[in-house]
Each structure stands twice: as structure tokens, then as C-alpha cells.
Amino acid sequence: MSRFSHLSKQEKKAAIKQLALQNRERLFRIKPVETEQVAGNELIDIEIKPSRYNIVIPIAKGRALLFNSVNRHLVLLDSDEHQQWSHYCEKLKLVEKDYSVKLNRQLESTLTSSGFLVDAEFDEIEAVKTNYFKERQDKSTLMLTVAPTMACNFACGYCFQGLNKDLRKIDEKVPDAIYQFIESKKQELSNLSITWYGGEPLMGRETIFELSDKIIKLCDESSINYNSGIVTNGFFLTPKVAQKLFDRRCTYAQVTIDGMEEVHDKQRPLLSGRGSFKEIMQNIRAVMEETPFAIAVRVNVGQENLVSAEKLLTYLTEEGYSQYGQFSVYFAPIEASTAESGTAFNESLSKQEFNERLIKLRARATEAGLSSVVTAPTGILGMCVAAHEGGYVISPNGDLHKCWETAHDPSKRIGTIFDHTNSNVTVNSQLWENWSPFDNPVCSNCSILPMCGGFCPHRYVYYGSGDDNALPCPDWKWNTAEYLFSRAKSLGFVTDDDWLAGQATASAKQSGERHSAESLKYSQQIVIDKIKNNTGLVITPETIQKGEETMPIRIIENTLRE
């Protein structure tokens, strides 16, 4: 007799939840299920079903990796367990679900407590949605991206801001307005993070230093956790500058290097046309040697630098960069995400081709000690400044935006830092507020939705701004099986010989369909329809692209209140 048999149906549900909580510490761990220990080792006599967020990766000898994207648990099933699991899932896929089919006692207990099996009546989508919006609407967190200037000393042809940048530095009233904005929220804040951005933010570094000092003092007095980082081209990132940033709790930088010197200098020259590779690499080396500041080198990959990106890994390895604990490398696609993206329209790779290359590049970087093994994210990948209600991008003139990919375009602002309380009643702000990953079937049916969250709201809201390669699905969507196998391999549970070629995610699609131009167009139309239903305002994809030229900046506030 099960120790749960005397419980009511509601109490049994609570028991399942409690067992799952007890096993949270196994996050990111993997064990053969027969070694797992579950409280009481007893079956729970309640109808259960496989979680919709399970992903199965078959491997050699009839075994499989089983992953759940809600709790990020990963387990190894032996051949008998895999066979049982497959049979069990097939029976429950039938129109008339056969709940009489059972797994063996140990397997069912382990998979229930680990979240792979859930109450048959449990609405998983609603639970994921609740968690998503709880984080999205969290008033205790403020996420700011601040651009001291939109000017830049580089002339990168693929830049989504274009080459005709505003050369002015930050308006002298803006830093005080930013401080007052933070101060107005201090009573409810627990966490404040700032990303310094541009243009090239270090062209306005004195503003960063001065404003940081004031913000840190405010945060310390108000018991607010504060952290910051910077996105920079690295040209001005000397050890002296890096130390000044670090002393102000700006502890890391993203610096882009697009391959070896010849290719990098062609893609990322100074405004004068002179190369930048040597100066940047000298700075990185000196910063690593002389400061605790961390640098993540981003390699933007496109058609023109595929070979050079691989050569860069060889160069960094031979130069000994793996010895620095605060140094790492990662890869991102060159994308034409805005109309101003220049050469990116000709250089971008398809998502599939990029991710096929990414797997090989990441493997080399990991083997060389320049990158770590991919692990499932602890939070939601798509909970960026654009998605979070407490997220804002602040331009040098005080304009407020929701995404740094619109910061160069005043017509797409949601308001101004000088009148921030009204930023939620603009048409542009409604575009962001009415977007949700749960409104489109590609996201809502995705097996990694709990940890992806739609990934990039900009791609949906401003569909049509760039080319058809600028799609939102993250590398986890394209490389699900490869990442999970790599994780299992790093823990010693599988070897290269266990990989099955037919499980390549690009073709197997273990986590579901991926977004296309058609699905993004559909998603954008949903946003348009929601705004019309909520406010009566009729907008079109064309007016979205043109911004304030064709739309009133302010929606009548009474309309929203109704």
C-alpha cells in the first residue's frame, strides 16, 4: 500500500510538487535513473502524464538522454528504461489515453519527482505563462542600457545602426534625469543592472565614471544590489580604463573581434580606414595581465569570415589566452536586423548554416579552454530589457527605448527620461507591451519555451525591418541535442561514439518547429490586433516601421484606462 493512498486528490498533487522541490538541487546534473533516490521510493497513485517540456535524445545502444526545460533536469535512460518510456508516451498520445500503462516502480518515482511526469490535470502552459509574466512584471528589478554617446570611432559595414551616426555626446541634463529616475524607484528596487552601450560608450567614459559613482552611492544607501557591464569595441579599453570601470562595479566587457587581423580590419576598420586589430589585442592582453576585469570576445560570423573565425581560435590558443580565467570567446551571427544594417544583408548566413558552423566553433573553443561547456540557462533567455517591464534603453538625448536595436532611431522611442511616467501610454510602448511568446503557435508549442521565452521581442515587433535570416530562435533551439549531449559527455556519461548522426537538431527538430518569416509576420499581426482591440487605434506593419512619422506618439490615456 502506498503511503500516499490515504491522501485526498489535492493532497496528492501537493505531494508531487513537494517531491519535485526536494529534487531541485539536481539541476544540471545527470545520473542513470536506477541510482536516483526518491523519498519513500513509492508510486503516487494519481493519474500522471509526461511533461510537454520533455526532450528525448536517443543515443547508441538503445539508450537516451531525457531533458526537461522547466526544471533543467537531465537524466540518462538505459535501453530498458528508454523502451519503457517510449511505449508509455505512445500510449498516452492516443485520443483515448491509456492511463493503465505503467512504468516500473523506480523509474516512475524518479521521473515524477524530477518533473518529467506531472499531474494529468496540470496545465503546464498556464504554469509556464504565470512564471514568465511574474518575472516580466517584477518591479524589484530595474534593467537599464545607457548610451553616453551614439558616436563611434569605427565604421563597421554591417552595423545595425548604420554608418550615419549621431556624433553628439550625452545631453548634460540626462545623467541627472537618470539618477532621479532610479531614485524614484528605490523603495521597490532590490536589483539594478546597467549595460553601458553606444555607439562606442568609452568615447563618453567620463559620464560613465561620474554617473556610476552617484548610482553606487544611492544603491548602497538603499540596499539595492548593483552590477554593470559594457559593450565596447575595445579600442579605448586600456588597463587604466578597465580598472576605473572595475572599481565602479562594471566588471566585464563584450569586445568584438571578427577573425584574424586582415579580415577583422576589413570588417571593423576605424573611421579613418585604418585597422583596429593590433590595438584591441594589445589592450585585451594588458587588461588580462594587470586587472581582474573580465572580457568576453564576441566573434560575429558571416559569409566573409568563416575561415578567419577558426584561425582566430588557433591564434588565441597559441597566444595562451586560455590561461586567463576572466577571458572567454563566443560566437554570434551577423544579422540584418534593421533597415540600416548595410553589408549584413549580403553577409548574413541562414540560421541553419550558422548553427551548423557554431557547433564546430564552440567545440574547438571548449577544447582549447576558451569557452565552457554549454549548460541550460538558469533563467529565461528572452527576459531582456525589451521584454522586462523594468527594462529601458536610454539614448544620449534622453529618449527612452525598449531595445538597443532601435536606440539609433528616434521615431521608435517609447518616451523620454524627462517624462518617464508617461512612457507606457505611447503607441511604440504598446507594441512591446502587447507582444507575448504565448500568442503564436511556434513559441507556445515549443519544448524549450520555459527557458527561451521567445528570445528576441524585436524580431516579432519589428518584423520586416531586416532580412529573412534575422529570426528569433536561439542557438539552443537549433542545437538542442548537441548541447545536451555535450553536457552529458563533459560529465562522463557518454562518449563521442554514443552520438547518433540522425539526431542532429537542424533536421531532427527535437524541440519543435522554428520561426520563419511567415510566423513572424503572423506574430506581428497579433500585436497589431491586440492594440486595436485595446485602444481602437488602427496601425499597420508599414506604420510600425515608420514610427512616429505616421503614428501619434501618445495614446489618449482614458482609452487605456477603460
Side-chain angles (χ1 to χ4, degrees):
M1 179 178 176
S2 167
R3 67 186 177 93
F4 294 104
S5 59
H6 67 286
L7 301 178
S8 67
K9 192 171 185 178
Q10 204 63 32
E11 290 172 328
K12 290 173 184 174
K13 290 181 181 180
I16 291 178
K17 182 177 181 181
Q18 183 60 36
L19 282 174
L21 289 174
Q22 290 172 358
N23 283 275
R24 292 289 290 186
E25 69 274 9
R26 293 208 307 277
L27 209 63
F28 300 128
R29 296 185 64 192
I30 175 169
K31 293 182 179 180
V33 293
E34 62 266 24
T35 68
E36 297 282 5
Q37 296 299 314
V38 181
N41 190 28
E42 300 190 36
L43 294 176
I44 300 174
D45 50 350
I46 186 172
E47 289 182 352
I48 52 180
K49 63 182 179 183
S51 167
R52 66 182 295 127
Y53 299 112
N54 291 336
I55 296 173
V56 181
I57 312 297
I59 59 175
K61 301 176 183 177
R63 298 169 298 158
L65 298 173
L66 181 60
F67 175 74
N68 183 272
S69 67
V70 175
N71 52 43
R72 281 65 156 176
H73 284 170
L74 178 64
V75 297
L76 175 65
L77 302 177
D78 66 26
S79 57
D80 289 339
E81 293 160 345
H82 183 204
Q83 187 175 17
Q84 279 191 64
W85 177 257
S86 298
H87 177 68
Y88 179 79
C89 292
E90 284 301 317
K91 288 291 185 181
L92 292 184
K93 284 181 181 177
L94 301 174
V95 176
E96 294 295 329
K97 300 186 189 308
D98 184 3
Y99 288 109
S100 65
V101 63
K102 294 289 184 181
L103 299 167
N104 73 44
R105 184 184 188 90
Q106 177 67 43
L107 184 59
E108 184 168 321
S109 294
T110 298
L111 297 184
T112 299
S113 65
S114 301
F116 296 101
L117 293 169
V118 298
D119 186 336
E121 296 181 5
F122 181 50
D123 188 338
E124 289 186 274
I125 294 181
E126 191 58 34
V128 169
K129 186 175 182 180
T130 297
N131 181 67
Y132 172 85
F133 279 102
K134 180 181 179 181
E135 186 167 340
R136 182 167 167 171
Q137 297 164 355
D138 179 15
K139 294 185 182 300
S140 70
T141 296
L142 185 61
M143 304 161 62
L144 300 181
T145 297
V146 179
T149 180
M150 295 306 291
C152 187
N153 56 323
F154 277 29
C156 307
Y158 58 67
C159 181
F160 65 79
Q161 298 175 355
L163 295 178
N164 187 26
K165 293 180 172 66
D166 188 339
L167 300 180
R168 292 172 295 180
K169 291 188 178 182
I170 199 164
D171 184 290
E172 61 181 11
K173 296 180 181 178
V174 170
D176 285 341
I178 294 173
Y179 177 85
Q180 290 166 12
F181 175 55
I182 298 170
E183 188 176 40
S184 71
K185 295 179 174 292
K186 68 180 182 180
Q187 296 301 326
E188 59 188 9
L189 280 186
S190 298
N191 303 288
L192 168 63
S193 65
I194 294 180
T195 299
W196 302 101
Y197 194 68
E200 171 46 50
L202 290 180
M203 291 176 70
R205 52 189 175 276
E206 292 305 319
T207 297
I208 296 176
F209 300 151
E210 292 169 9
L211 185 54
S212 293
D213 289 340
K214 292 181 64 177
I215 291 173
I216 289 171
K217 185 174 185 295
L218 172 64
C219 287
D220 287 349
E221 292 174 348
S222 305
S223 299
I224 299 169
N225 296 319
Y226 174 75
N227 67 84
S228 72
I230 189 168
V231 178
T232 171
N233 58 39
F235 196 81
F236 300 114
L237 190 61
T238 63
K240 183 178 179 180
V241 171
Q243 189 62 56
K244 284 187 175 182
L245 290 169
F246 191 87
D247 292 342
R248 290 163 174 83
R249 302 181 197 173
C250 179
T251 57
Y252 64 93
Q254 172 195 294
V255 177
T256 300
I257 302 288
D258 280 354
M260 293 303 294
E261 183 174 358
E262 182 179 355
V263 173
H264 172 89
D265 287 349
K266 180 181 177 181
Q267 293 197 171
R268 299 180 63 81
L270 294 166
L271 287 172
S272 65
R274 186 167 65 85
S276 59
F277 182 87
K278 286 181 179 178
E279 285 88 344
I280 297 170
M281 293 310 304
Q282 288 170 3
N283 282 344
I284 292 175
R285 173 75 78 182
V287 169
M288 293 296 96
E289 292 283 353
E290 300 174 32
T291 79
F293 195 77
I295 293 179
V297 165
R298 169 177 170 140
V299 185
N300 290 322
V301 179
Q303 295 181 24
E304 303 298 321
N305 69 332
L306 287 168
V307 174
S308 192
E310 294 181 7
K311 290 182 178 179
L312 178 65
L313 291 177
T314 301
Y315 168 79
L316 294 172
T317 302
E318 291 175 349
E319 291 293 315
Y321 279 88
S322 60
Q323 70 180 296
Y324 303 118
Q326 73 271 40
F327 179 86
S328 61
V329 177
Y330 76 102
F331 305 88
I334 291 176
E335 292 183 317
S337 58
T338 68
E340 296 81 17
S341 296
T343 61
F345 284 95
N346 299 319
E347 294 180 30
S348 64
L349 300 166
S350 70
K351 277 285 189 176
Q352 179 164 337
E353 185 176 1
F354 168 75
N355 279 285
E356 287 173 349
R357 298 278 186 166
L358 176 63
I359 288 295
K360 297 174 182 177
L361 289 168
R362 284 205 68 126
R364 280 199 59 190
T366 301
E367 184 179 355
L370 299 170
S371 183
S372 57
V373 174
V374 180
T375 58
T378 55
I380 301 172
L381 288 169
M383 196 54 65
C384 61
V385 170
H388 200 286
E389 289 189 7
Y392 300 91
V393 179
I394 306 173
S395 295
N397 66 351
D399 281 351
L400 292 177
H401 290 256
K402 285 297 292 178
C403 178
W404 62 27
E405 295 201 13
T406 70
H408 64 288
D409 186 351
S411 74
K412 294 180 175 60
R413 61 179 178 168
I414 65 167
T416 171
I417 192 69
F418 301 108
D419 186 24
H420 59 82
T421 57
N422 284 316
S423 63
N424 67 329
V425 295
T426 63
V427 177
N428 285 334
S429 70
Q430 290 299 298
L431 292 171
W432 299 102
E433 288 184 24
N434 281 282
W435 175 79
S436 165
F438 299 91
D439 289 340
N440 72 80
V442 175
C443 285
S444 59
N445 292 321
C446 178
S447 297
I448 63 167
L449 175 63
M451 65 186 199
C452 174
F455 193 60
C456 182
H458 179 272
R459 299 295 191 266
Y460 307 83
V461 172
Y462 284 101
Y463 164 72
S465 296
D467 67 10
D468 289 347
N469 289 333
L471 301 171
C473 293
D475 54 341
W476 258 97
K477 181 74 171 179
W478 286 88
N479 302 318
T480 312
E482 290 83 352
Y483 284 174
L484 294 176
F485 187 87
S486 174
R487 179 62 173 157
K489 179 183 171 183
S490 73
L491 294 170
F493 286 93
V494 298
T495 67
D496 288 336
D497 292 337
D498 292 318
W499 175 254
L500 300 179
Q503 291 304 309
T505 310
S507 55
K509 297 182 180 179
Q510 291 92 340
S511 54
E513 290 297 323
R514 297 178 278 265
H515 273 292
S516 63
E518 291 74 23
S519 67
L520 294 186
K521 183 177 181 180
Y522 175 79
S523 299
Q524 185 188 59
Q525 188 59 49
I526 290 175
V527 173
I528 290 171
D529 292 343
K530 288 171 74 174
I531 291 175
K532 181 180 178 181
N533 292 336
N534 293 339
T535 69
L537 183 66
V538 177
I539 57 177
T540 66
E542 291 72 29
T543 57
I544 289 175
Q545 299 304 331
K546 293 179 180 178
E548 290 178 13
E549 274 184 44
T550 53
M551 295 189 296
I553 186 172
R554 185 74 56 86
I555 296 175
I556 299 173
E557 294 183 49
N558 289 336
T559 304
L560 283 178
R561 291 198 183 106
E562 291 172 2

